[in-house]
């Protein structure tokens, strides 16, 4: 009887030893840490590799510290001019101070801080710009959101390495307004072109009229100079120069003699 009790006791002790050994040693992977607490109080942070904790007395919580990308798809925000934008955004973040982060959120940092704070910062940043400014300054907005998140995250032991607005879409009402605006702008451009064409044609007509008037004035002056230069003596001289030396032939009535000067 005593032998059976002794064997049973040894078996229980072996099971306890095996259980304690199994629960005391553990491995921490690369990019993770283990938060070790003794009776609920954080005592140390274990890094990657094989580690040991006291069973029952100490507990561990695994925390991923490597870079993680948080995707915010179909996030609806409003601009300064009260237009709606649906955008996709990514935030790349890592844990820089595991103990500070764990003390603040007890492992619930994603749901309690990262997601709601990101949405708040994105809305606050975009609300300072009109929808047209958002389109032209999308990269600038990503940098502004990054700077705001970096300061907020750093206060709780998180680091931010990148923020990107990967896609955006506008409301149906705004799309219609954009289309109407394009049509109006095209009509304005067409009207402006026609007005410019009419102006150029009018200027060309004025220039042509001025040219013709100038031409007439020059012709008139040339005629006047030519008329003034034809004096009676000059006309007589020109007539003599053009005469071929023959006198005109004259014929009279039936009884008048015919005089031929060239015989």
């Amino acid at each position: 009887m005593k032998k059976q009790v002794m064997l049973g006791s040894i078996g229980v002790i072996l099971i306890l030893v095996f259980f304690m050994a199994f629960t005391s040693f553990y491995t921490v992977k690369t990019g993770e840490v283990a938060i070790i607490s003794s009776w609920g109080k954080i005592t140390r942070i274990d890094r990657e590799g094989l580690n040991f904790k006291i069973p029952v007395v100490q507990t561990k919580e695994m925390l991923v510290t490597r870079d993680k990308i948080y995707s915010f798809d179909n996030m609806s925000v409003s601009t300064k001019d009260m237009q709606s934008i649906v955008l996709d955004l990514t935030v790349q973040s890592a844990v820089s101070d595991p103990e500070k982060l764990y003390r603040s959120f007890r492992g619930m940092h994603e749901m309690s801080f990262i997601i709601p704070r990101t949405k708040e910062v994105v809305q606050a940043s975009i609300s300072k710009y009109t929808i047209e400014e958002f389109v032209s300054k999308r990269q600038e907005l990503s940098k502004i959101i990054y700077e705001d998140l970096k300061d907020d995250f750093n206060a709780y032991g998180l680091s931010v390495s990148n923020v990107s607005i990967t896609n955006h879409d506008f409301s149906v009402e705004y799309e219609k307004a954009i289309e109407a605006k394009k049509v109006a702008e095209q009509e304005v451009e067409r009207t402006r072109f026609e007005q410019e064409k009419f102006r150029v044609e009018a200027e060309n007509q004025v220039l042509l009229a001025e040219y013709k008037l100038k031409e007439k004035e020059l012709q008139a002056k040339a005629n006047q100079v030519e008329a003034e230069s034809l004096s009676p003596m000059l006309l007589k001289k020109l007539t003599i120069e053009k005469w071929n030396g023959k006198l005109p032939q004259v014929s009279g009535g039936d009884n008048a003699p015919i005089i031929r000067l060239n015989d």
Side-chain angles (χ1 to χ4, degrees):
M1 183 69 178
K2 289 183 178 180
K3 186 177 180 180
Q4 291 178 346
V5 172
M6 186 178 294
L7 289 174
S9 299
I10 293 174
V12 171
I13 292 172
L14 288 174
I15 291 173
L16 290 174
V17 170
F18 179 78
F19 173 76
M20 292 178 67
F22 181 76
T23 56
S24 295
F25 293 95
Y26 63 93
T27 301
V28 178
K29 298 178 181 179
T30 301
E32 298 179 353
V33 296
I35 312 295
I36 305 302
S37 301
S38 299
W39 305 114
K41 181 181 179 180
I42 297 176
T43 54
R44 71 176 190 272
I45 306 294
D46 286 344
R47 308 290 173 174
E48 59 184 278
L50 183 63
N51 294 275
F52 173 82
K53 69 178 180 65
I54 302 172
V56 181
V57 176
Q58 293 181 327
T59 59
K60 66 177 175 63
E61 289 286 344
M62 303 304 294
L63 184 66
V64 177
T65 58
R66 59 180 172 269
D67 275 359
K68 187 174 181 180
I69 296 177
Y70 298 92
S71 297
F72 298 85
D73 297 331
N74 298 320
M75 185 188 301
S76 181
V77 294
S78 297
T79 59
K80 185 178 180 180
D81 51 353
M82 302 306 294
Q83 295 291 337
S84 296
I85 301 176
V86 177
L87 57 82
D88 298 336
L89 178 132
T90 59
V91 176
Q92 186 173 350
S93 176
V95 178
S96 56
D97 191 334
E99 183 175 348
K100 181 188 289 187
L101 181 64
Y102 190 81
R103 286 184 183 278
S104 300
F105 301 102
R106 290 289 173 176
M108 300 295 293
H109 53 281
E110 292 185 355
M111 296 299 298
S112 300
F113 176 71
I114 292 178
I115 294 175
R117 184 55 183 158
T118 299
K119 290 182 178 180
E120 182 181 349
V121 169
V122 171
Q123 176 59 72
S125 300
I126 293 179
S127 65
K128 298 176 183 178
Y129 295 83
T130 65
I131 194 167
E132 292 183 353
E133 290 172 336
F134 169 82
V135 174
S136 61
K137 299 179 179 180
R138 200 174 87 169
Q139 290 186 343
E140 180 181 329
L141 269 169
S142 295
K143 292 180 181 179
I144 293 173
I145 295 170
Y146 164 76
E147 292 295 336
D148 290 343
L149 287 179
K150 183 179 70 172
D151 295 338
D152 290 349
F153 280 34
N154 185 61
Y156 293 100
L158 288 164
S159 63
V160 179
S161 55
N162 186 53
V163 173
S164 298
I165 298 175
T166 57
N167 191 26
H168 67 270
D169 195 11
F170 304 126
S171 64
V172 176
E173 291 77 11
Y174 182 73
E175 294 286 356
K176 291 180 179 179
I178 289 293
E179 185 63 26
K181 183 178 179 181
K182 288 182 179 178
V183 173
E185 288 177 348
Q186 291 174 355
E187 183 65 23
V188 169
E189 287 298 324
R190 187 183 66 81
T191 303
R192 184 180 291 115
F193 172 77
E194 291 179 353
Q195 290 176 345
E196 182 67 17
K197 180 182 177 181
F198 177 78
R199 184 185 65 80
V200 171
E201 290 177 350
E203 289 180 352
N204 289 337
Q205 289 179 358
V206 171
L207 292 174
L208 181 60
E210 291 178 350
Y211 172 78
K212 289 182 177 180
L213 179 61
K214 193 73 174 177
E215 185 180 26
K216 289 181 178 179
E217 291 177 353
L218 292 175
Q219 186 62 43
K221 287 182 179 180
N223 292 339
Q224 182 179 357
V225 170
E226 183 179 359
E228 292 176 352
S229 62
L230 296 176
S231 62
M233 293 296 297
L234 180 60
L235 291 173
K236 187 175 181 179
K237 179 180 179 183
L238 291 174
T239 302
I240 294 173
E241 289 178 352
K242 288 183 178 181
W243 183 48
N244 57 7
K246 295 182 178 181
L247 294 175
Q249 296 180 359
V250 180
S251 59
D254 296 336
N255 298 323
I258 297 175
I259 301 174
R260 298 181 182 273
L261 298 177
N262 55 353
D263 289 342

